[in-house]
Amino acid sequence: MLLRYWGGHSPCCEGCGWCWHLCSDPCVLPAVWVSEIMLQQTQVATVIDYYNRWMQKWPTLQALAEASLEEVNELWAGLGYYSRGKRLQEAARKVVSELAGQMPRTAEELQKLLPGVGRYTAGAIASISYGQATGVVDGNVIRVLCRLRCIGADPSSPPVIDRLWAMANALVDRSRPGDFNQALMELGATVCTPKAPLCGECPVKQHCRARLRVEKELALASQKLLGKLPPVPDVEDCGVGDCPLCPPAAEPWDSSLGVTNFPRKAAKKQPRVEQTATCVLERRGHRGALEYLIVQRPSSGLLAGLWEFPSVPLAPGLQQEQQREVLRDHLQAWTGQPVGVESLRFMGEVVHVFSHIHQTYVVYSLPLDGDVTLDLASSPSRWVTEEEFRASAVSTAMKKVLKVCERQHGEESGPAKGSKRKRGAKPGAGGSTRPGTQLSLRAFLRAPNPP
Ligand code: SF4
């Protein structure tokens, strides 16, 4: 099976990934690179399907280099942190066009030459794919090493980061660096876990200073109970002076935490709070199907190149009426048509937390009786059915926005407000007239009108 694949450059199995994992052909897209990028900030269970579809679609560097950002975003839709997919594709282009199709093979070159490849990803690709004896430091490795060496200072501080990388590079097995690195990460994921480490089953427990510290603390406590004087601290215990690796003096050892005193939790940066008004413009398209207007975001910055409902950032503290006016102005400037503030209907709010932004979308809808003139030069836009919307490169936040609108329309067309017909809806149909939504039960059971 592998030989067939290596000879033909096209997947010959059900997409288990082993061919891609093992193949060393320079033309083949390094599977470790793709999986490592996808696994940043995302769990394995979520990634598997995306990974398989990606590798089936773009098994070679050439194929990925020829893909458009639109295709990349469509495949990535729902995985979050969209710049990862964009940079992966940019890097493939760079390898093909500037590096004669040859992937860099050392951690230093990978990090230096490829967009989106940081120190960890570079170390993982170089050691697992190309056998370079270089270490890796991810969240799991940080936890294991901090416990092994009782490092209690903030693990995101430069002295601690430097020490952890130095330790990882010193420890890595020269003959099987890829296996060693994966084993170390697996140890952190399955044995030396964040809250309930299985120290009794740990293969490196004899070398673990956190475990030793726990034993010493227990011995000390029992000596105190027996009224004996505490021994003079061992210099190896550290915790005194200005050591950049030790816990701060203000944060004493918590005996109830045991080895989980390490690593110390890094201070979390609060995401900034933002508000955006977003408008779901609707019209009846061909054959009466409901259609929505979506526009494409700029090709750089947050959610680059993705499609969304027309949106505009809001200044903090605006009242609902002021928000409508901001949105109205934005839509007027963009469509070149007058938009009445009163025709913007408030649908609800959607909160979506990006890595660094706590974003609230204030959702409005605007049903239109006909098409609008679009200023295509300023931002690409198109009308899509619900099905096309879901297949497009749209963010999870925008899917939530549409859900809020659909829920609101569903409530309006339900039994309590069944007589209220939405502007632009086709007259004559009982209950809900929107494709894709069911008739209300009352409308369904209503006796037919007498002839
Ligand atoms: Fe982690 Fe416990 Fe093993 Fe130390 S002995 S590395 S704390 S699991």
Side-chain angles (χ1 to χ4, degrees):
M1 181 179 79
L2 293 178
L3 287 176
R4 268 176 54 208
Y5 174 57
W6 286 345
H9 288 178
S10 60
C12 58
C13 64
E14 300 298 315
C16 69
W18 275 103
C19 316
W20 300 311
H21 182 76
L22 295 172
C23 184
S24 59
D25 187 324
C27 298
V28 170
L29 185 61
V32 173
W33 179 24
V34 177
S35 62
E36 288 296 345
I37 297 288
M38 286 188 171
L39 285 166
Q40 290 167 5
Q41 321 277 349
T42 312
Q43 293 184 339
V44 176
T46 309
V47 160
I48 291 172
D49 179 50
Y50 286 90
Y51 168 81
N52 283 332
R53 284 190 287 124
W54 182 287
M55 296 304 292
Q56 293 279 3
K57 189 162 182 155
W58 300 300
T60 65
L61 283 161
Q62 186 74 39
L64 180 57
E66 287 169 3
S68 67
L69 177 60
E70 181 76 9
E71 288 176 296
V72 168
N73 279 336
E74 276 176 16
L75 201 149
W76 204 275
L79 200 53
Y81 301 94
Y82 290 84
S83 60
R84 295 179 296 171
K86 181 171 179 266
R87 293 222 202 101
L88 198 47
Q89 197 254 1
E90 284 170 359
R93 276 192 184 163
K94 186 169 183 185
V95 173
V96 169
S97 62
E98 295 177 28
L99 306 174
Q102 298 294 314
M103 272 292 286
R105 291 187 165 231
T106 65
E108 297 72 24
E109 282 183 344
L110 284 158
Q111 190 180 350
K112 190 171 143 203
L113 297 174
L114 299 189
V117 174
R119 196 172 181 183
Y120 161 76
T121 308
I125 300 170
S127 62
I128 300 170
S129 291
Y130 303 124
Q132 186 190 5
T134 185
V136 294
V137 175
D138 73 343
N140 285 317
V141 174
I142 288 173
R143 187 166 55 256
V144 174
L145 296 182
C146 281
R147 288 176 182 169
L148 280 174
R149 283 296 171 263
C150 278
I151 295 175
D154 181 349
S156 62
S157 68
V160 175
I161 291 172
D162 288 348
R163 179 60 66 95
L164 293 172
W165 275 99
M167 285 167 69
N169 284 328
L171 282 171
V172 68
D173 186 325
R174 266 55 200 157
S175 59
R176 295 171 63 191
D179 289 345
F180 178 89
N181 285 336
Q182 290 182 82
L184 190 57
M185 291 188 275
E186 196 66 10
L187 181 72
T190 59
V191 178
C192 195
T193 56
K195 288 185 181 155
L198 306 168
C199 296
E201 300 168 25
C202 179
V204 293
K205 61 187 174 198
Q206 293 91 339
H207 308 282
C208 181
R209 289 193 184 167
R211 192 163 182 263
L212 191 65
R213 171 90 189 253
V214 170
E215 287 170 2
K216 279 188 179 179
E217 293 290 337
L218 285 173
L220 193 62
S222 58
Q223 281 177 344
K224 272 187 188 165
L225 269 178
L226 296 171
K228 293 184 182 170
L229 284 177
V232 179
D234 189 323
V235 284
E236 282 232 334
D237 287 344
C238 218
V240 285
D242 295 325
C243 172
L245 305 179
C246 280
E251 290 181 22
W253 171 266
D254 182 344
S255 56
S256 69
L257 294 179
V259 294
T260 64
N261 274 285
F262 307 100
R264 180 173 167 237
K265 279 199 178 66
K268 217 175 175 186
K269 213 177 153 193
Q270 288 300 314
R272 66 175 193 269
V273 176
E274 289 188 1
Q275 256 197 336
T276 294
T278 190
C279 185
V280 180
L281 285 106
E282 306 168 345
R283 72 169 189 188
R284 291 280 160 185
H286 301 306
R287 294 191 295 274
L290 198 62
E291 292 181 342
Y292 305 103
L293 187 66
I294 53 174
V295 294
Q296 192 169 29
R297 290 180 63 83
S299 58
S300 60
L302 183 71
L303 306 173
L306 262 66
W307 294 81
E308 66 180 9
F309 297 115
S311 303
V312 60
L314 294 170
L318 292 184
Q319 300 298 316
Q320 202 178 87
E321 217 38 50
Q322 295 168 304
Q323 293 177 355
R324 277 180 212 267
E325 284 167 9
V326 172
L327 185 57
R328 186 265 323 264
D329 294 347
H330 175 71
L331 292 171
Q332 276 185 176
W334 183 65
T335 62
Q337 291 202 352
V339 175
V341 169
E342 68 289 345
S343 54
L344 290 169
R345 299 171 54 209
F346 175 73
M347 294 279 117
E349 290 188 349
V350 165
V351 174
H352 191 81
V353 182
F354 297 96
S355 57
H356 56 301
I357 301 172
H358 187 281
Q359 179 70 263
T360 301
Y361 292 96
V362 188
V363 184
Y364 291 87
S365 88
L366 177 58
L368 299 170
D369 289 326
D371 202 348
V372 291
T373 308
L374 304 175
D375 183 4
L376 293 173
S378 63
S379 52
S381 57
R382 57 188 162 114
W383 288 97
V384 289
T385 61
E386 184 184 340
E387 200 179 330
E388 289 165 342
F389 174 83
R390 300 207 181 280
S392 300
V394 292
S395 67
T396 305
M398 285 298 127
K399 287 178 183 163
K400 290 187 200 168
V401 165
L402 184 58
K403 208 175 260 182
V404 162
C405 273
E406 288 177 332
R407 195 182 308 133
Q408 186 68 18
H409 288 326
E411 283 173 15
E412 288 171 1
S413 62
K417 300 177 187 175
S419 61
K420 194 173 177 183
R421 189 169 68 80
K422 185 172 68 60
R423 244 184 86 203
K426 273 191 167 178
S432 168
T433 59
R434 300 178 63 249
T437 57
Q438 291 185 343
L439 293 176
S440 70
L441 198 57
R442 183 178 292 179
F444 183 74
L445 296 174
R446 190 185 297 149
N449 290 331

